[in-house]
Amino acid sequence: MVETVTSERKVLAEGFCLTEAPRWRNDRLYFSDIQGHEVHTVDLAGKVETVASFDGPCSGLGFLPDGDLLVSLMAAAKVVRISGGEVSDHADVARYADERINDMIVDPAGRAYVTQLGPPPVAGSDAPRYTRIIIVEPDGRARVGAEGLQGPNGIGVSPDGRTLVVSESGGARVSALDIAADGGLSNLRAFAELPAGQCPDGLCLDAQGGVWAAVVFAEGPRPLTPGPGFCRYDARGRLTHLIPLEAGRHAVACTFGGADRKTLFLCTSGALAGREARRDRSARIETVAVAGFSGDGLP
């Protein structure tokens, strides 16, 4: 039986274009505003600070062991490093990218796993469009991590560092891969199969072995329409909890944070498309308490 989370959602910060890639660190939430081309932080009092601004869309975030922040620049197909407020190139991954890169997770060793939604569907064809996960080593060297995924998107790593979990937005499933000692990926398999037409996006892991994913409905490959909301799948891939959203609001991404990591931070938006998102600035950071759960893994 699926339990609906009835705790009140509280707006922590709003007025953004499209919030994405939330990461909790040092008593504040880091997040990207994809269509606003900026990375921000917000504390629990709602104070927002801008970390960096870019010339184009930015998405995935992660931290190196020394605390430097990595950011994926989508159209530029590169990962940049922010240290002491200065931005520098960390890795150029264009040779491995079919289209724009997207989300990213960085493991404790400083190895980044970068996703990409891949090329757009071919008009008149229902054939799946496959792409890959890119690995960026701590020194900036890039390589292919895994191929044959349908729109890899939101991404996380288990607390033991042995399993990578990723949303396959084009495949209506959350998938898992084994992580080798050298960071290589293998054994692509389903973690949770979603009903046809559902599209998982950003995700995070909990300490109870489950995955929380933002889920929208897809009307064919394009466009996306507001879907169920934020869904939790247990270690056996069963849907156990749902945080529903009001009509017209999209679930985008989520992560656990707060001092005890028992608060779920939600990225939500009324619009996803670039021009509409920049016009409406309807994206928010929200919080909700989910009894019995706390964060684990990365993020």
Side-chain angles (χ1 to χ4, degrees):
M1 182 175 178
V2 179
E3 180 178 336
T4 298
V5 176
T6 57
S7 304
E8 179 187 2
R9 288 173 21 234
K10 299 178 180 179
V11 177
L12 183 64
E14 58 186 338
F16 307 101
C17 301
L18 181 58
T19 50
E20 174 66 290
R23 304 286 185 264
W24 179 260
R25 185 178 177 88
N26 296 335
D27 299 323
R28 57 183 47 241
L29 187 78
Y30 287 73
F31 63 95
S32 291
D33 185 349
I34 291 181
Q35 300 297 347
H37 305 171
E38 293 180 323
V39 175
H40 304 285
T41 66
V42 60
D43 63 19
L44 292 178
K47 180 182 179 181
V48 176
E49 296 183 358
T50 300
V51 176
S53 299
F54 301 100
D55 294 331
C58 52
S59 184
L61 305 178
F63 293 89
L64 293 171
D66 63 4
D68 286 356
L69 175 65
L70 296 184
V71 184
S72 69
L73 301 187
M74 302 175 74
K78 66 180 180 181
V79 176
V80 296
R81 180 173 184 159
I82 302 177
S83 180
E86 298 295 323
V87 179
S88 61
D89 288 350
H90 181 66
D92 186 336
V93 301
R95 63 180 295 191
Y96 303 116
D98 298 313
E99 204 188 45
R100 301 197 300 177
I101 61 174
N102 189 27
D103 212 342
M104 176 176 64
I105 192 72
V106 181
D107 71 14
R111 182 179 293 114
Y113 295 89
V114 184
T115 65
Q116 51 172 331
L117 291 176
V122 176
S125 174
D126 293 329
R129 303 289 285 175
Y130 296 102
T131 186
R132 60 183 65 93
I133 294 173
I134 302 166
I135 299 174
V136 176
E137 299 294 343
D139 62 5
R141 289 177 297 121
R143 58 184 166 120
V144 174
E147 303 211 54
L149 292 94
Q150 296 187 57
N153 197 342
I155 192 167
V157 172
S158 64
D160 62 9
R162 298 173 61 182
T163 305
L164 183 142
V165 181
V166 60
S167 292
E168 286 195 69
S169 293
R173 73 176 190 172
V174 176
S175 299
L177 297 105
D178 296 332
I179 303 175
D182 68 353
L185 302 174
S186 63
N187 189 25
L188 175 64
R189 60 197 182 276
F191 181 94
E193 297 280 5
L194 280 61
Q198 290 192 6
C199 177
D201 196 341
L203 58 75
C204 66
L205 290 79
D206 64 35
Q208 292 70 34
V211 170
W212 295 77
V215 181
V216 297
F217 289 126
E219 295 178 345
R222 298 288 191 277
L224 297 178
T225 58
F230 294 88
C231 300
R232 181 189 184 266
Y233 307 93
D234 67 13
R236 295 174 61 182
R238 299 173 300 188
L239 176 63
T240 64
H241 292 73
L242 170 66
I243 302 173
L245 300 183
E246 62 271 22
R249 181 150 291 270
H250 296 82
V252 181
C254 57
T255 196
F256 281 94
D260 54 8
R261 294 202 68 185
K262 292 184 178 180
T263 298
L264 192 61
F265 290 82
L266 311 175
C267 293
T268 71
S269 184
L272 296 179
R275 183 176 300 176
E276 184 182 1
R278 289 189 292 271
R279 181 195 67 206
D280 293 356
R281 301 192 72 88
S282 61
R284 302 171 182 161
I285 299 295
E286 304 183 38
T287 63
V288 66
V290 284
F293 298 103
S294 60
D296 210 340
L298 299 170

